[in-house]
Amino acid sequence: MIRLEGVTRRFRSAAGERVALDAVDLTVEAGQVFGVVGRSGAGKSTLIRTINLLERPDAGTVTVDGREMTALAPAELRAARRRIGMIFQHFNLLNAKTVAENVAFPLRLEGRPAAEVDRRVADLLEQLGLSEHGKKHPAQLSGGQKQRVGIARALACEPGVLLCDEATSALDPETTDEILSLLDQLNRDLKLTIVLITHQMEVVRRVCDRVAVLKDGRVVEQGATADVFLHPRHAATRAMLAEGEEGFETADVPPGGRLAKLTFRGGSTYEPELSRVARSVGVDYSILSGRISRIRGEPYGQLVVAFTGGDAEAAVAQLTARGVAVEDVGGTV
Ligand SMILES: Nc1ncnc2c1ncn2[C@@H]1O[C@H](COP(=O)(O)OP(=O)(O)OP(=O)(O)O)[C@@H](O)[C@H]1O
């Protein structure tokens, strides 16, 4: 388990003082995939770097697997850090070394015997589909392969926690998907706790059990990913989720229609609930926008509809009774 309590980090520069993290409280349970999202400058990088104390907080405590990182002596901290792997947006590989040497690096640093290092490196390369690339240098690899080398290196010392600092931000969509599948698999197979920071909401939707939204160094909202993404409470979350989404033009809405956002979750996503209710209460509806997708594997559907020509109130009541979340989005037009 990872626990941040009252974590504050300030930076002083010629321009004055900047509070990058402002009394952040956060708990990540063991085995979770936890996402932190926020706009540029929100404090994401600073936050993830406080977990392994690459960034030391000015106030507050950081506890990882029962050890208070902020209270450790330098040698203890070095040892504790080896149980926390980290991967980066630009991979941070040693370009002069081969793939195998990159993966061996943390093991050598730990003073493991050469034969054990060789064995472990061979296992890791195989596990990550890199066996044929061991003698190559990073420059000879694709972005996805480089990130897999980064992951192999991060896993070398068998960490319980993996920190991912914008790990897919430099990758194309297909490679992003491949790396996210890998993280998902490592979380399940190794019971690895994963904390990732990203500005890509899709990354969180795909792999995170829980998410925290950071704004100006504060956590403004957090919870299970499906709850936060389907029913965002804070304006910052809503704004981030709205980016890239197709909206609808008010001019397209049928006159007299009552607008409602319907959220279907789980099995009901694929049930014809809307048409059943419309038939039963004699209401018509137009779909103005919609999305069917999955959050961490759970299907959901979200539609904005305009009810027309019937008893919209009754339709809303029946949908609600059938477990569909109905949100008013602007009354009638
Ligand atoms: N070493 C530093 N010195 C001075 N200011 C810093 C330093 N590191 C971060 N900051 C400031 O702290 C704030 C938070 O930065 P941080 O990099 O954590 O945000 P972020 O959400 O990761 O942004 P991005 O997505 O752009 O990386 C920013 O205002 C940034 O300018």
Side-chain angles (χ1 to χ4, degrees), residues 11-13 18 20 38-47 166 197:
F11 291 107
R12 286 163 204 90
S13 68
R18 169 96 202 179
R39 296 224 187 267
S40 185
K44 304 181 297 294
S45 297
T46 309
L47 187 147
E166 296 277 7
I197 62 162

Side-chain angles (χ1 to χ4, degrees), residues 279-300:
R279 241 192 337 267
S280 125
V281 302
V283 76
D284 288 323
Y285 61 88
S286 312
I287 297 175
L288 303 175
S289 72
R291 172 185 186 125
I292 293 181
S293 184
R294 285 173 184 267
I295 293 178
R296 189 59 161 140
E298 183 199 0
Y300 75 91

